[in-house]
Amino acid sequence: MERLIGSCQIILLLFSSLIGIQALNSSFFSPSSLGAAVPCRPDQKSDLLHFMNAMMPNNSTSFFCQMDDIPTGPKKLSWNADTDCCSWKGVMCDQMTGHVIRLELGCSPINPTCYSSAGSSNSTELSILDSLNLSSLHKSERPSGSNSNMLLQNLTMLRVLILDGLNMSGIDVSRLMNLSPSLEVLSLRCCKLRGQLAANFFLLPKLTCLNLSGNKELSGYLPESSWNSPLKVLDLSSTGFSGVLPESIGDLHSLEILRLCHCNFNGSIPSSVGNLTRLTGLDFSFNELSGQVPPTLSNLNWLTLLDLSSNNFIGPIPNVFDNKTQLQRLLFSHNHFADPIPPSIKNLSNLAQLEISNNLICGSIPSSLFSLPSLTILDLSNNGLSGPIEEFLAAPSLDHVDLSGNQLGGSIPSSIFQLGNLTYLSISANNLTGVLDLRLLSRLKNLIDLDLSDNILSLSNSENAEHVLPNLSKVRLSGCNITEIPAFLRNSTSVDWMDLSSNKIHGNIPSWMWDVGTESLSYLNISHNSLTSFKQVPWKNLLFLDLHSNLIQGPVLPPPLPNSVLFFSLANNQLTGYIPSSICEMKDLQFLDLSHNNFTGTIPQCLGNVSDSLLVLDLQENGLSGTISLTFSQNAVLSSLHLNGNKFEGLLPRSLINCKQLEVLDLGGNKLNDTFPRWLETLPSLQVLVLRSNRFHSSIGNPGTEFPFSQLRILDLSSNELTGPLPSAYFVNLKAMMSTHQDGSEMRYMDQGYYQDSINAAIKGLETRLPKILVILTTIDLSCNKFQGMIPDVIGELGSLEGLNLSHNNLEGHMPSSLGKLSELEWLDLSSNKLSGTIPSKLTTLTFLEVLNVSSNLLTGSIPQGNQFNTFQAESYRGNPGLCGYPLSKTCTNSRVPGEPPVLPEGGAHSFFAEILESGAVEIGLACGIVLGLIMSNLRYLRSFW
């Protein structure tokens, strides 16, 4: 993992040829320094033994990593008290004085460039060692936090301090401020440091190499003030440093390596970075930096590495490569760069690695890229590049080419098959056309990974056994119009990944295929073809076998699969007969999909025995019958169970209560005869519950737990025999349906990796199969039951509900105005009930409502107007004789329903009486008025008579 190399010594080793640091005094590195002419002082020998016993108690100093070997484990330390301590392993003395000046006890020797100015020490006390390296000691040898604390207290005169890998979690990071002002090299990589560093820590006057990488809980900001520092190496990678990069960072004129990757920096790159003209390595990857890359980077002519990947940069890739002849690695992937690739990249004569994948780059690929003489890795995948792929003119060193996920057209250039060093080739998901002679592939003898999937290619075949790829490990030829298994796979003994899906392979598998990768093949996908048989499974280490959507026939499955298989799919074929119990022998099976076949009989009861490993069991749309005889153990990990579209009878297995990780349960379209399974409410992960088209009966009742169905988002109980009132006590607890989604998850689907959950549902009035389930889809379908009573107001609290179907029940009373609070609602079906009163005008605020059906009820009054209500047709309201107004042909003569108490409008009493005159109340008032008129008339008559 070259990008993640962290210690100062390794970084400087990589770039030592470019830094130009003078070699150290020969007394440091000559062989005689390990055995000095002048013996060490007795007091220093005693101090050494005392120091090491304090640092590593319990005699753990008897093991350490030997410096002059590649460490393969702990080695014995031969420190003999009767010998000269300058001859001890890891101890270095000054030749002239015999003073101990350096302890080198780490597993990783220090690169000389870290000692650029370290000279001999004249100290007579061990506490003022010139150099100490305890890096990467064996885990059992690492000092504790308290001993490390002692170390920092007593060794304050060091110029080189390397403590990589020591556990310093017990130290307050502020104690590092007490380090010697003469310190030149400080490496505390992966020391479990935490807390914040003060800004002036970076201003140690002689510090040239600072490495704090790998301390994820270490945080702080880079100082805003001017830096007066001789730093040459600054590595804060994989820490919690954050904030904006200050302009003052440009004051570090001596800086040669700057690594701030895997942090939390934001904002833009300050233009002052262009002042760091000595930089050879610049790594800002994996941050939250944004904006455009400043053009001042053109000043950095000594760069060998420029890594800006995995940020949020926008705009064009800066055209700053005219003088970057030293640049070897250019990494800009996973940003938002747009526009074409700048032409100045052609000047990068030493460029070995170019990665600009996952951006918005457009235009064609400059032909000059294919003639860069040093290029070994070219990754332009997942952009918007178009046009043809030019010929590779002179790129003999190319090892890795990835042009996938673009809009490239034309044919594959023949010169690509002349790249003899090529090990990885991916040009999938483009618009490449033409016929590719697969015999050309045999020229790529070193090819390990090949991906030509999802183009408009046609691939020819050859039966010549000589046309093979001996090193091929992964081959992806999905969607390539192949009509038979490519013969170049013959004798590919090392292949472990093979994807031939979505082609036109028909008939039987060729006999030679059973000898391909018998020991190595772990992934085989031949789905979406026209295979008619699959007779054997000879691969001993197979993990993944997908044969779904073929024409495989027969009464039984293929012979027993290896116990190693984790994923097995034969869905959408033409298999018949019983499901054999031998399938239960795969004890590690996680995904079993036999859906959409013609299997009959019962479920093998032994399938319940593999519930400790089984994540997905999909047997939907077969002819299975009998009871669901599965028994799930207490350790069941089942996440998806699809048994819909069969002929199962009887009760639900109560052992489903053990499936605490169950997310999707679809048992629709069977003949199950049971009461509502209220006991499922305790499943903490259940998101989809489909029991439609069965014989569930009785009322739903009240919850038995405090938080029932807390994660439920899809509830379909339609076409059953459920009775009683709507379950308002459950509605109030459907927490996952109550808040709208604002987390950017609109296009995420429920899945289990490769397997995709699917259900049948009534969506916007149409029976629909959802091949994928959006994680934000929230629906309730209680239609075609015998529910009674009123629609509860609490249903308006389900704010994220997108579909509600309560049709074909016996509901009565008014439509609650709280329905107007369902701001995400897209379809509402209340048809074929006994609802009365008016349609609430608040429903006009539902701007996402596409389908409304309130037909066949007892609704009266005028139909609300505005927004989506102007788009609904008359069929939405048929069967309500009391409704009037657009889009019905019946016009309204009044605006208030008889029997409703009058409400004073905003216009006051005048408006109120005007409304009375227009309402049905005039009919009652007219009768009363006639009676009162007759009485008053008679009174006047009698008065005149008297």
Side-chain angles (χ1 to χ4, degrees):
M1 297 294 290
E2 186 178 9
R3 197 181 299 183
L4 299 177
I5 294 174
S7 62
C8 289
Q9 59 267 35
I10 298 178
I11 295 175
L12 291 176
L13 179 62
L14 292 173
F15 296 100
S16 59
S17 62
L18 300 162
I19 293 177
I21 298 178
Q22 296 294 324
L24 289 181
N25 191 316
S26 60
S27 65
F28 264 72
F29 304 107
S30 63
S32 61
S33 67
L34 298 177
V38 178
C40 73
R41 297 170 57 93
D43 58 336
Q44 291 199 332
K45 178 189 295 187
S46 175
D47 285 348
L48 268 178
L49 293 172
H50 182 268
F51 169 75
M52 292 307 295
N53 284 330
M55 289 295 297
M56 302 177 193
N58 303 321
N59 298 319
S60 63
T61 55
S62 59
F63 293 95
F64 85 117
C65 289
Q66 208 165 343
M67 292 182 304
D68 49 4
D69 294 327
I70 297 175
T72 57
K75 305 292 184 181
K76 285 192 175 182
L77 176 64
S78 300
W79 279 14
N80 189 339
D82 296 328
T83 61
D84 179 10
C85 69
C86 291
S87 67
W88 293 351
K89 277 288 186 181
V91 179
M92 278 147 276
C93 301
D94 185 275
Q95 294 185 59
M96 304 301 296
T97 66
H99 292 161
V100 175
I101 58 175
R102 182 172 165 194
L103 289 182
E104 188 75 64
L105 304 181
C107 296
S108 303
I110 305 304
N111 186 272
T113 52
C114 275
Y115 297 97
S116 58
S117 60
S120 61
S121 170
N122 293 322
S123 79
T124 58
E125 298 178 6
L126 194 60
S127 61
I128 53 174
L129 278 172
D130 187 88
S131 174
L132 175 63
N133 172 22
L134 299 179
S135 64
S136 301
L137 287 173
H138 189 256
K139 185 175 182 181
S140 62
E141 318 303 321
R142 293 177 183 174
S144 65
S146 59
N147 288 330
S148 299
N149 194 5
M150 178 200 72
L151 174 70
L152 291 183
Q153 284 181 340
N154 296 333
L155 304 179
T156 58
M157 299 300 292
L158 288 172
R159 289 198 282 176
V160 176
L161 180 59
I162 312 291
L163 302 179
D164 294 345
L166 266 67
N167 182 359
M168 302 178 68
S169 59
I171 296 181
D172 186 343
V173 74
S174 63
R175 295 189 58 82
L176 296 177
M177 294 304 302
N178 298 325
L179 293 174
S180 167
S182 59
L183 196 66
E184 298 173 14
V185 174
L186 176 61
S187 183
L188 303 176
R189 183 171 63 95
C190 301
C191 289
K192 299 184 179 180
L193 291 170
R194 64 181 60 190
Q196 292 190 350
L197 285 182
N200 56 349
F201 174 80
F202 298 97
L203 305 180
L204 291 173
K206 295 185 178 182
L207 195 63
T208 60
C209 178
L210 175 60
N211 186 349
L212 301 177
S213 64
N215 294 289
K216 297 184 181 299
E217 297 184 36
L218 181 63
S219 61
Y221 302 95
L222 297 185
E224 296 285 349
S225 58
S226 177
W227 294 41
N228 183 18
S229 171
L231 270 175
K232 295 182 178 180
V233 176
L234 177 59
D235 188 350
L236 303 179
S237 58
S238 297
T239 63
F241 278 89
S242 60
V244 176
L245 298 177
E247 284 286 337
S248 57
I249 200 171
D251 297 336
L252 296 172
H253 297 291
S254 299
L255 205 60
E256 298 174 2
I257 296 175
L258 178 59
R259 298 186 75 240
L260 303 179
C261 57
H262 292 270
C263 294
N264 299 311
F265 291 110
N266 54 49
S268 58
I269 297 177
S271 59
S272 63
V273 170
N275 299 334
L276 307 179
T277 56
R278 295 186 181 183
L279 275 181
T280 61
L282 177 59
D283 189 348
F284 287 159
S285 61
F286 291 92
N287 278 286
E288 299 174 11
L289 297 170
S290 57
Q292 295 194 12
V293 177
T296 54
L297 290 188
S298 60
N299 300 332
L300 309 181
N301 294 329
W302 295 101
L303 280 179
T304 61
L305 165 67
L306 178 57
D307 191 349
L308 304 180
S309 56
S310 296
N311 280 283
N312 299 309
F313 292 116
I314 61 173
I317 294 176
N319 194 18
V320 295
F321 306 111
D322 288 333
N323 299 314
K324 304 296 182 298
T325 56
Q326 305 296 321
L327 196 61
Q328 298 174 12
R329 299 173 61 207
L330 180 60
L331 311 174
F332 282 180
S333 296
H334 294 278
N335 279 285
H336 306 292
F337 288 116
D339 294 350
I341 298 173
S344 59
I345 285 185
K346 68 181 180 182
N347 300 317
L348 305 178
S349 56
N350 287 307
L351 191 66
Q353 184 176 359
L354 176 61
E355 296 186 13
I356 319 180
S357 66
N358 294 279
N359 278 283
L360 305 172
I361 305 298
C362 59
S364 59
I365 302 176
S367 59
S368 56
L369 282 185
F370 302 122
S371 59
L372 291 175
S374 302
L375 197 63
T376 59
I377 297 176
L378 176 62
D379 187 353
L380 305 178
S381 60
N382 298 307
N383 279 287
L385 295 167
S386 58
I389 303 175
E390 302 290 344
E391 295 289 343
F392 289 77
L393 300 178
S397 58
L398 264 177
D399 170 81
H400 179 114
V401 175
D402 191 347
L403 306 179
S404 61
N406 282 284
Q407 301 170 21
L408 300 170
S411 58
I412 299 176
S414 58
S415 57
I416 204 169
F417 303 107
Q418 306 300 325
L419 303 175
N421 292 319
L422 203 61
T423 62
Y424 180 94
L425 174 61
S426 177
I427 51 179
S428 63
N430 279 287
N431 298 317
L432 298 172
T433 58
V435 178
L436 175 62
D437 189 344
L438 292 181
R439 290 175 297 182
L440 294 174
L441 287 173
S442 62
R443 300 177 183 177
L444 302 177
K445 297 298 184 182
N446 293 312
L447 198 63
I448 296 175
D449 197 326
L450 173 66
D451 189 353
L452 305 179
S453 301
D454 299 318
N455 281 284
I456 317 175
L457 291 170
S458 294
L459 305 185
S460 68
N461 208 354
S462 171
E463 293 297 332
N464 192 333
E466 296 180 357
H467 298 149
V468 297
L469 297 173
N471 298 311
L472 195 63
S473 175
K474 292 179 172 57
V475 56
R476 301 172 180 86
L477 299 175
S478 175
C480 287
N481 292 315
I482 298 174
T483 58
E484 54 187 332
I485 306 290
F488 71 82
L489 294 172
R490 187 195 302 260
N491 301 325
S492 295
T493 56
S494 60
V495 65
D496 68 2
W497 186 289
M498 190 183 303
D499 186 353
L500 305 176
S501 62
S502 301
N503 281 293
K504 300 177 181 177
I505 302 172
H506 59 275
N508 299 323
I509 300 291
S511 58
W512 56 260
M513 180 65 184
W514 311 122
D515 297 323
V516 173
T518 52
E519 301 288 339
S520 60
L521 192 65
S522 63
Y523 180 101
L524 178 60
N525 187 350
I526 319 184
S527 64
H528 293 282
N529 279 282
S530 300
L531 295 174
T532 56
S533 67
F534 200 87
K535 296 181 180 179
Q536 54 183 305
V537 183
W539 303 287
K540 299 178 181 179
N541 297 301
L542 195 64
L543 300 176
F544 183 104
L545 178 59
D546 190 351
L547 303 173
H548 87 271
S549 299
N550 277 282
L551 302 174
I552 300 175
Q553 305 173 9
V556 294
L557 293 167
L561 300 175
N563 290 338
S564 58
V565 172
L566 303 178
F567 182 101
F568 180 43
S569 177
L570 268 170
N572 289 283
N573 278 283
Q574 300 175 10
L575 292 165
T576 58
Y578 299 144
I579 298 176
S581 58
S582 60
I583 203 165
C584 302
E585 297 175 7
M586 295 183 285
K587 299 300 183 182
D588 295 327
L589 190 64
Q590 296 180 5
F591 300 85
L592 177 61
D593 188 355
L594 304 179
S595 63
H596 298 275
N597 278 284
N598 298 309
F599 287 115
T600 56
T602 60
I603 300 179
Q605 189 171 358
C606 61
L607 274 178
N609 299 332
V610 295
S611 64
D612 290 358
S613 65
L614 204 62
L615 296 174
V616 172
L617 176 59
D618 192 344
L619 304 178
Q620 63 180 301
E621 302 297 338
N622 277 284
L624 299 170
S625 57
T627 61
I628 301 175
S629 55
L630 299 175
T631 303
F632 299 101
S633 72
Q634 292 284 345
N635 299 319
V637 293
L638 195 68
S639 178
S640 295
L641 178 60
H642 294 267
L643 301 179
N644 52 294
N646 284 283
K647 302 174 183 178
F648 292 118
E649 300 175 344
L651 307 177
L652 289 188
R654 293 313 193 255
S655 62
L656 275 172
I657 200 67
N658 295 325
C659 301
K660 301 301 183 184
Q661 300 180 36
L662 193 65
E663 296 180 356
V664 178
L665 176 60
D666 189 350
L667 303 175
N670 283 286
K671 300 178 181 179
L672 297 171
N673 193 341
D674 202 346
T675 58
F676 176 72
R678 192 178 67 172
W679 43 272
L680 291 176
E681 69 187 31
T682 62
L683 296 180
S685 302
L686 191 63
Q687 299 182 47
V688 177
L689 176 59
V690 179
L691 303 178
R692 68 198 308 260
S693 301
N694 277 284
R695 296 173 183 171
F696 287 97
H697 53 272
S698 77
S699 64
I700 292 180
N702 293 319
T705 57
E706 184 177 2
F707 300 108
F709 296 119
S710 59
Q711 298 299 316
L712 199 64
R713 296 183 297 100
I714 297 178
L715 175 63
D716 190 346
L717 306 179
S718 61
S719 300
N720 279 284
E721 299 172 7
L722 297 170
T723 60
L726 292 178
S728 57
Y730 278 98
F731 291 157
V732 77
N733 285 289
L734 298 177
K735 303 298 183 183
M737 297 189 188
M738 287 189 175
S739 59
T740 56
H741 300 270
Q742 302 293 336
D743 59 357
S745 61
E746 285 78 5
M747 291 309 297
R748 289 195 298 112
Y749 294 93
M750 295 190 67
D751 61 56
Q752 299 292 331
Y754 179 85
Y755 175 85
Q756 205 81 53
D757 279 297
S758 63
I759 58 170
N760 295 321
I763 304 294
K764 300 179 183 178
L766 299 174
E767 290 292 325
T768 305
R769 177 167 181 78
L770 298 177
K772 298 179 180 181
I773 306 175
L774 277 168
V775 297
I776 62 168
L777 180 62
T778 54
T779 68
I780 293 178
D781 191 343
L782 304 181
S783 63
C784 300
N785 279 283
K786 299 177 182 179
F787 288 113
Q788 302 170 348
M790 302 179 67
I791 301 175
D793 285 336
V794 72
I795 204 165
E797 301 301 319
L798 306 180
S800 67
L801 201 62
E802 297 174 43
L804 177 62
N805 190 346
L806 304 178
S807 65
H808 294 86
N809 280 286
N810 296 314
L811 302 176
E812 56 190 10
H814 296 283
M815 292 175 58
S817 60
S818 63
L819 290 172
K821 297 165 60 178
L822 303 179
S823 58
E824 303 292 317
L825 203 64
E826 297 181 20
W827 69 94
L828 174 62
D829 192 347
L830 305 178
S831 62
S832 299
N833 280 287
K834 299 176 182 177
L835 298 174
S836 59
T838 59
I839 299 175
S841 60
K842 286 186 178 181
L843 294 185
T844 59
T845 63
L846 303 181
T847 54
F848 290 118
L849 194 62
E850 297 180 23
V851 175
L852 172 68
N853 190 351
V854 294
S855 62
S856 300
N857 277 286
L858 303 174
L859 298 172
T860 57
S862 60
I863 296 173
Q865 301 300 313
N867 292 329
Q868 297 299 103
F869 271 74
N870 294 341
T871 67
F872 301 140
Q873 303 300 312
E875 287 73 16
S876 298
Y877 309 103
R878 299 287 189 201
N880 290 281
L883 283 180
C884 61
Y886 181 84
L888 297 178
S889 58
K890 181 181 179 181
T891 59
C892 298
T893 59
N894 46 63
S895 59
R896 192 168 59 81
V897 178
E900 281 193 353
V903 179
L904 283 176
E906 295 180 359
H910 180 272
S911 297
F912 170 69
F913 285 114
E915 182 178 338
I916 289 293
L917 291 175
E918 296 177 1
S919 70
V922 173
E923 299 170 4
I924 299 174
L926 181 59
C928 294
I930 292 173
V931 173
L932 288 174
L934 289 174
I935 293 173
M936 294 301 294
S937 176
N938 289 333
L939 287 175
R940 284 194 299 270
Y941 173 76
L942 291 173
R943 186 180 298 115
S944 62
F945 179 78
W946 290 333

